[in-house]
């Protein structure tokens, strides 16, 4: 909400020397968020000048300019820029006359843009300044003609400061208004809140006597509400006043001060009649609509739309209406979307002579739905959907009529039509100890009552409680909690102590949470960058990366996806990493090491998810309902995945770049396994999206926990990724469950290790991991570690076989091993490998 300070000062005593920032600081104290300060982006000297004479000079380009002599200072006095009292100025506009007073920007001035003004030679003359249009000054969109002050009703001495004269020295504060505080979308509301914050005197523009604002004849125009299909039992319009003003002159100029205030409030000038309705809307918070009375056919009826009806709104668009839309209609049919936008057939134009003013109270839900359905947000709908003061409609209609009489020359007939509603605000019981107990501040009873009465509440005392009746403009005060919040806000949030609660002893991260954190920290320490992504993908990506075979498995489709092109919940983290990699490669970052931890959704075949209806609000679901809701959610497993591509080691002096390969992804897998507290085995396997022969299945014992491998070139190309891309994905929750509750650090022996190598010849189809397992099983407890160091196929080895070389390390916890003991343990392992796979020692 943008509020010009000059406007605010009309209704609350803001100190004359208060800067916009001071006003914002006061509003922050009562719970508003400051947004910005808006000013007219110009600086002087800009003065009132009088056109003494001009000569029209046709140019070779077909344009005719005027060489003008403009008096910009009284006779015998220097101009504001230090120059002579009469300046020669070239002007291209032709809508002014000799004797007109106009705004003149002298050399040294700066107009919005910024556009600095200086004396310059043009069309054969030195133009010593510029005669300004409304658009050049930031007062409107009109740029074709000069701003003639006589059209604004301004007659000021030559040389006067045009900036202050036109209201261009004003500034507006901008505050964020939350949806529950719609009353603050008005100068009236902000002035009241400034008064609450500072204690300054507040003058309510809505406090007018009923005799001033009521119609003398409310039967002169027929008004009716016919809402046969109210939404949630609420009728679309509860109050409606139509007031007639006759004999207006729509060609009269809008006062400069009104244009300036509307401009600072973010509303452009559209002519005196519309400007007045907008002005009152910003001032009082009550949206106003004006109709050309002579175009109406019969009276007004507020009703819901009928299927198939259409309406051309003021923006020129023909809209298909929905049966839930609330309409303003006459005998010809729809003439406006109630509370959102009027129709084109009855709009006020330059030929309008008689005006029907509409001020109503519409149902917030109806207005919000209509505005969103038609994608038609407006200043009116913004206020209606947050709740408009139901007691202000007659005041607002009278205020519009007064301004139309004053500035558009109209006659207020004080006749029209009206629907009166009884405004009943239910009382809210507020137990006396409740506010201090909830807020944690020892407020006195006088402070609580005083704060509530300050915001307009009526407080009645009972023995143990107060009964609080909120004011009509505060529909958000509905219970004791919202009342307590108001007390805290008015008395000052700075009184609320900042005390951290003491956590119960023995509680912290669960073992699973600690394990996830260890894995993420370990990968980050290893040089990987964490890149969380949205859990949404396509069914094709799920089938490609979410299953071993690429077969069509169940995927969960969202009923209301954020992205219609990716409506499925992911079964794998790899598609998200591929999107992140593509985005980075497209920006020139080609060397990537990425990881993500997150949930994947693995539905069970034949099970329908999301079918359970949502239980009613404000009622705690019973155990059966909660169980049914849990069953309607697919199983969610937390996975961890890595992706590497490009150079793992960059090029540097004396060292060529090293391209990332499968070994680097395997290193990441070992890092994950160590952090999770498990030992991962790798065996050759297959995966739909991965290169055959460069794919490994990851297992902990006999349990498969994931995979690692290089993407097929076609898959990498589809993802727009050049070169080799290696990925790995593991079920992190499963790994942590296999690790048990604690990760036990290995003890260190003080005795030296005995190392030996062994090369075994086996059939080429035998996985190296199974040979490794056989050696471990046979070598016994003395074996400390075993690594595959070579896989040889070629000369010296029979065709169809391979030679696997393992490095073994033996150590005893209580003594130094002899070479014979190490050899005996090694041969015991060889014997098991020979029994299982026919392995022989390589000669």
């Amino acid at each position: 909400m943008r509020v010009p300070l000059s406007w605010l000062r009309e209704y609350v005593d803001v100190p004359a020397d208060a800067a916009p920032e001071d006003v914002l600081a006061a509003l922050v104290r009562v719970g508003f968020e400051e947004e910005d300060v808006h000013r007219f982006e110009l600086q002087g000297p800009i003065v009132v000048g009088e056109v003494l004479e001009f000569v029209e000079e046709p140019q070779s380009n077909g344009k005719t300019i005027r060489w003008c002599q403009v008096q910009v200072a009284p006779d015998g006095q220097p101009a504001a820029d230090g120059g002579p009292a009469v300046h020669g100025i070239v002007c291209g506009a032709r809508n002014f006359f000799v004797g007109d007073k106009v705004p003149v920007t002298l050399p040294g001035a700066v107009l919005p843009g910024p556009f600095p003004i200086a004396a310059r030679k043009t069309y054969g003359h030195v133009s010593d300044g510029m005669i300004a249009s409304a658009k050049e000054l930031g007062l409107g969109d009109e740029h074709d003609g000069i701003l003639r002050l006589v059209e604004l009703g301004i007659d000021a001495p030559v040389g006067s400061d045009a900036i202050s004269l036109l209201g261009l020295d004003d500034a507006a504060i901008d505050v964020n208004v939350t949806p529950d505080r719609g009353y603050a979308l008005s100068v009236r509301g902000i002035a009241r809140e400034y008064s609450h914050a500072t204690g300054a005197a507040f003058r309510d523009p809505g406090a007018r006597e009923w005799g001033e604002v009521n119609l003398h004849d409310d039967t002169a125009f027929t008004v009716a509400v016919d809402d046969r299909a109210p939404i949630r039992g609420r009728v679309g319009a509860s109050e409606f006043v139509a007031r007639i003003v006759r004999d207006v002159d729509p060609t009269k100029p809008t006062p400069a001060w009104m244009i300036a205030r509307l401009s600072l409030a973010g509303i452009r000038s559209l002519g005196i009649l519309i400007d007045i309705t907008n002005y009152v809307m910003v001032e009082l918070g009550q949206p106003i609509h004006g109709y050309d009375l002579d175009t109406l056919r019969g009276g007004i009826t507020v009703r819901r739309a009928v299927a198939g009806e259409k309406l051309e709104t003021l923006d020129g668009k023909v809209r298909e209406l929905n049966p839930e839309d609330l309409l303003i209609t006459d005998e010809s049919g729809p003439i406006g979307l109630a509370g959102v936008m009027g129709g084109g057939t009855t709009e006020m134009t330059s030929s309008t002579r008689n005006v029907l003013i509409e001020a109503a109270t519409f149902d917030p839900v109806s207005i919000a739905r209509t505005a969103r359905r038609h994608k038609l947000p407006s200043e009116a709908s913004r206020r209606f959907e947050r709740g408009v003061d139901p007691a202000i409609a007659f005041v607002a209609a009278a205020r519009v009529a007064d301004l139309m009489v004053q500035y558009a020359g109209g006659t207020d007939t004080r006749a029209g039509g009206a629907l009166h509603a009884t405004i009943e605000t239910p009382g809210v019981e507020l137990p006396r100890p409740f506010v201090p107990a909830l807020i944690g501040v020892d407020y006195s009873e006088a402070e609580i009552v005083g704060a509530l009465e300050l915001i307009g509440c009526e407080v009645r005392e009972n023995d143990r409680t107060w009964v609080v009746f909120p004011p009509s403009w505060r529909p958000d005060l509905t219970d004791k909690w919202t009342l307590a919040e108001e007390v805290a806000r008015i008395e000052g949030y700075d009184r609320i102590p900042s005390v951290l609660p003491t956590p119960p002893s023995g509680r912290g991260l669960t073992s699973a949470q600690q394990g996830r954190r260890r894995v993420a920290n370990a990968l980050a320490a290893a040089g990987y960058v964490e890149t969380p992504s949205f859990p949404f993908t396509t069914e094709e990506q799920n089938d490609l990366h979410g299953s071993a075979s690429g077969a069509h498995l169940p995927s969960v489709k969202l009923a209301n996806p954020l992205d219609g092109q990716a409506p499925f919940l992911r079964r794998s983290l790899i598609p998200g990493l591929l999107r992140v990699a593509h985005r980075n490669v497209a920006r020139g970052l080609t060397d990537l090491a990425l990881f993500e931890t997150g949930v994947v959704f693995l539905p069970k075949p034949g099970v329908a998810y999301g079918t359970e209806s949502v239980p009613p609000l404000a009622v705690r679901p019973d155990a059966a309902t909660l169980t049914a809701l849990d069953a309607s959610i697919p199983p969610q497993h937390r996975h961890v995945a890595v992706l590497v591509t490009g150079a793992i080691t960059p090029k540097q002096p004396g060292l060529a770049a090293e391209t990332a390969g499968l070994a680097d992804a395997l290193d990441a897998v070992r890092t994950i396994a160590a952090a999770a507290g498990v030992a991962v085995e790798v065996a050759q396997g297959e995966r739909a999206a991965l290169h055959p022969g460069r794919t490994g299945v990851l297992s902990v014992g006999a349990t498969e926990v994931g995979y690692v491998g290089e993407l097929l070139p076609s898959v990498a190309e589809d993802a727009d990724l050049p070169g080799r891309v290696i990925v790995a994905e593991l079920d992190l929750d499963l790994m942590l469950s296999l690790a048990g509750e604690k990760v036990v650090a290995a003890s260190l022996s003080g005795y030296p290790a005995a190392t030996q190598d062994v090369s075994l010849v086996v059939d080429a189809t035998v996985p190296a991991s199974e040979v490794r397992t056989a050696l471990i099983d046979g070598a016994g407890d003395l074996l400390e570690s075993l690594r595959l160091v070579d896989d040889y196929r070629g000369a010296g080895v029979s065709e169809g076989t391979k030679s696997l070389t393992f490095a073994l390390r033996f150590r005893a916890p209580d003594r130094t091993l002899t070479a014979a003991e190490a050899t005996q343990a090694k041969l015991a392992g060889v014997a098991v490998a020979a029994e299982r796979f026919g392995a022989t020692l390589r000669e």
Side-chain angles (χ1 to χ4, degrees):
M1 176 65 189
R2 289 163 54 165
V3 180
L5 290 188
S6 65
W7 206 347
L8 188 67
R9 287 188 168 98
E10 288 189 8
Y11 303 122
V12 68
D13 292 341
V14 180
D17 59 349
E21 290 75 14
D22 299 328
V23 178
L24 284 172
L27 293 172
V28 167
R29 289 199 295 273
V30 287
F32 287 90
E33 296 179 11
E34 64 175 281
E35 291 285 343
D36 203 354
V37 175
H38 299 271
R39 297 179 172 90
F40 289 102
E41 299 176 354
L42 49 73
Q43 64 185 46
I46 303 175
V47 300
V48 174
E50 182 178 351
V51 180
L52 300 179
E53 63 177 353
F54 58 79
V55 178
E56 295 193 348
E57 299 180 354
Q59 303 297 311
S60 58
N61 60 4
K63 181 178 180 180
T64 298
I65 61 99
R66 286 180 173 181
W67 170 237
C68 307
Q69 299 301 312
V70 184
Q71 186 166 354
V72 295
D75 291 331
Q77 297 183 19
D81 65 341
V86 177
H87 280 38
I89 298 175
V90 172
C91 184
R94 304 178 66 185
N95 69 314
F96 59 93
F97 308 94
V98 172
D100 275 348
K101 289 183 177 179
V102 293
V104 179
T105 57
L106 299 177
V110 179
L111 296 181
F115 180 59
I117 303 300
R120 63 189 183 94
K121 186 171 183 179
T122 179
Y123 294 106
H125 302 282
V126 175
S127 185
D128 200 15
M130 187 177 76
I131 307 174
S133 68
K135 184 173 184 178
E136 288 162 341
L137 293 173
L139 275 176
D141 295 331
E142 181 60 46
H143 187 63
D144 294 334
I146 293 304
L147 181 63
R148 300 172 63 224
L149 298 184
V150 67
E151 293 180 345
L152 300 178
I154 296 175
D155 184 14
V158 170
S160 301
D161 181 15
I163 292 180
S164 60
L165 191 68
L166 297 172
L168 301 176
D169 56 349
D170 202 358
I173 57 169
D174 194 353
V175 294
N176 180 32
V177 176
T178 53
D180 61 329
R181 300 174 75 176
Y183 69 94
L185 289 173
S186 64
V187 179
R188 179 195 187 203
I190 296 298
R192 180 183 281 111
E193 290 298 335
Y194 182 82
S195 172
H196 296 166
T198 63
F202 169 63
R203 298 170 291 280
D204 188 357
R208 295 181 63 174
E209 294 295 332
W210 178 243
E212 288 184 62
V213 301
N214 190 22
L215 300 174
H216 285 170
D217 181 4
D218 61 4
T219 63
F221 191 86
T222 306
V223 175
V225 174
D226 180 16
D227 189 4
R228 297 188 180 90
I231 296 178
R232 299 184 181 181
R234 300 174 62 174
V235 177
S238 57
E239 186 151 324
F240 196 104
V241 55
R243 189 171 185 133
I244 296 172
V245 177
R246 294 190 179 276
D247 301 323
V248 296
D249 182 358
T251 64
K252 286 202 170 186
T254 302
W257 58 266
M258 184 180 289
I259 295 176
R261 287 181 176 181
L262 288 173
S263 178
L264 283 174
I267 298 175
R268 63 190 179 98
S269 176
L270 295 171
I272 183 63
L273 300 180
I274 298 175
D275 288 350
I276 287 173
T277 60
N278 285 334
Y279 186 84
V280 174
M281 175 185 68
V282 176
E283 182 175 73
L284 299 177
Q286 168 70 59
I288 300 286
H289 188 69
Y291 301 90
D292 186 329
L293 179 62
D294 298 326
T295 63
L296 291 172
R297 299 290 176 264
I300 280 180
T301 300
V302 182
R303 63 169 173 83
R304 301 286 172 178
V306 177
E309 279 190 304
K310 297 182 180 180
L311 170 66
E312 182 179 351
T313 46
L314 287 174
D315 57 1
K317 294 183 178 179
V318 177
R319 301 183 182 276
E320 299 273 351
L321 301 179
N322 183 283
E324 281 194 358
D325 290 335
L326 192 66
L327 302 180
I328 307 296
T329 68
D330 65 3
E331 292 179 359
S332 66
I335 59 173
L337 280 173
V340 179
M341 185 174 285
T345 59
T346 58
E347 68 174 316
M348 296 183 294
T349 66
S350 59
S351 61
T352 297
R353 291 295 174 266
N354 302 303
V355 174
L356 181 75
I357 301 165
E358 170 210 301
T361 302
F362 294 119
D363 174 47
V365 175
S366 295
I367 304 307
R369 289 186 174 185
T370 297
R372 284 158 179 74
R373 183 181 299 115
H374 294 283
K375 297 181 175 61
L376 192 60
S378 65
E379 290 292 335
S381 66
R382 184 182 174 209
R383 287 164 173 81
F384 276 124
E385 66 188 32
R386 287 164 170 79
V388 169
D389 183 0
I392 203 68
F394 281 82
V395 176
R399 174 68 165 151
V400 171
D402 293 344
L403 292 174
M404 285 188 176
V405 170
Q406 183 175 359
Y407 295 108
T411 300
D412 182 8
T413 66
R414 300 197 67 174
L419 292 174
H420 301 268
T422 301
I423 302 172
E424 295 182 356
T425 304
V428 178
E429 286 200 2
L430 180 63
R432 293 174 186 254
F434 179 75
V435 176
L438 179 68
I439 306 300
V441 177
D442 189 18
Y443 298 114
S444 67
E445 291 190 355
E447 286 176 323
I448 296 172
V449 173
L452 294 175
E453 290 180 340
L454 183 64
I455 64 173
C457 295
E458 178 188 350
V459 182
R460 300 177 187 174
E461 294 192 11
N462 285 341
D463 292 338
R464 301 179 62 183
T465 66
W466 292 293
V467 180
V468 181
F469 295 87
S472 59
W473 59 85
R474 294 299 303 271
D476 58 306
L477 302 181
T478 57
D479 49 44
K480 58 185 179 181
W481 290 278
T482 53
L483 294 175
E485 181 183 353
E486 286 299 295
V487 174
R489 184 174 71 88
I490 296 301
E491 290 299 321
Y493 293 126
D494 55 336
R495 290 185 60 180
I496 303 175
S498 300
V499 180
L500 290 175
T502 303
S505 60
R507 296 188 183 180
L509 297 177
T510 65
S511 58
Q513 290 171 329
Q514 291 173 345
R516 295 168 192 163
R517 189 166 293 186
R518 282 197 310 272
V519 169
N521 289 341
L523 285 172
Y528 285 78
V529 178
E530 186 172 12
T531 58
S533 59
F534 288 116
F536 314 121
T537 187
T538 64
E539 192 167 24
E540 293 76 16
Q541 289 291 313
N542 264 345
D543 290 341
L544 184 61
H545 297 283
S547 65
S549 62
H552 182 82
L553 295 178
S555 292
V556 177
K557 187 175 183 180
L558 297 171
N560 186 24
L562 291 176
D563 182 357
Q565 296 182 342
F568 290 89
L569 292 174
R570 66 188 177 190
R571 297 206 309 266
S572 168
L573 300 180
I574 301 302
L577 288 177
L578 292 177
R579 288 193 295 270
V580 172
H582 166 65
R583 188 178 302 113
N584 281 272
V585 169
R587 287 160 175 75
L589 302 174
T590 57
D591 303 331
L592 302 172
L594 311 175
F595 83 95
E596 179 180 0
T597 61
V599 295
V600 297
F601 304 84
L602 304 175
K604 298 177 181 178
V607 179
Y609 295 99
T611 57
E612 188 67 23
S613 60
V614 177
L617 300 177
V619 178
R620 180 179 176 82
D622 56 23
T625 301
L626 291 175
T627 301
L629 286 172
D630 286 339
S632 71
I633 302 173
Q636 301 175 42
H637 297 250
R638 186 171 296 272
H639 282 200
V640 57
V642 299
L643 179 149
V644 289
T645 188
I648 199 70
T649 303
K651 181 181 180 182
Q652 47 196 299
L655 183 65
E658 182 180 351
T659 303
L662 191 58
D664 301 296
L666 285 170
D667 283 342
V669 169
R670 296 187 186 99
T671 299
I672 295 169
V678 296
V680 171
E681 301 290 338
V682 185
Q684 191 167 351
E686 294 183 354
R687 198 81 181 176
L690 301 184
H691 199 297
R694 300 178 189 173
T695 302
V697 175
L698 306 175
S699 304
V700 174
T703 304
E704 184 178 327
V705 295
Y707 62 91
V708 61
E710 181 181 330
L711 283 184
L712 286 167
S714 59
V715 175
E717 184 178 353
D718 288 342
D720 291 328
L721 296 175
R724 302 172 65 186
V725 181
I726 299 90
V727 297
E729 182 170 9
L730 300 96
D731 188 329
L732 184 54
D733 285 344
L734 179 58
M735 293 174 63
L736 294 173
S737 68
L738 295 173
E741 288 295 319
K742 295 182 180 180
V743 177
V744 181
S747 59
L748 297 177
S749 173
Y751 295 95
T755 59
Q756 293 198 14
D757 292 343
V758 62
S759 294
L760 298 177
V761 178
V762 296
D763 190 271
T765 60
V766 176
S769 61
E770 296 185 11
V771 178
R772 180 177 180 275
T773 300
L775 288 172
I776 292 172
D777 292 344
D781 295 338
L782 294 179
L783 181 63
E784 185 177 78
S785 71
L786 184 149
R787 292 185 300 111
L788 176 68
V789 296
D790 189 32
D791 182 337
Y792 176 75
R793 310 169 194 217
V797 178
S798 302
E799 186 175 353
T801 63
K802 59 184 177 182
S803 172
L804 302 176
T805 302
F806 297 90
L808 298 86
R809 184 170 66 219
F810 299 92
R811 195 192 309 265
D814 55 352
R815 67 188 189 282
T816 299
L817 288 178
T818 64
E821 289 177 307
T823 299
Q824 182 180 358
K826 176 186 73 174
L827 293 176
V830 171
V832 174
E835 179 182 349
R836 294 181 183 176
F837 309 110
T840 59
L841 287 170
R842 183 180 175 187
E843 297 294 336

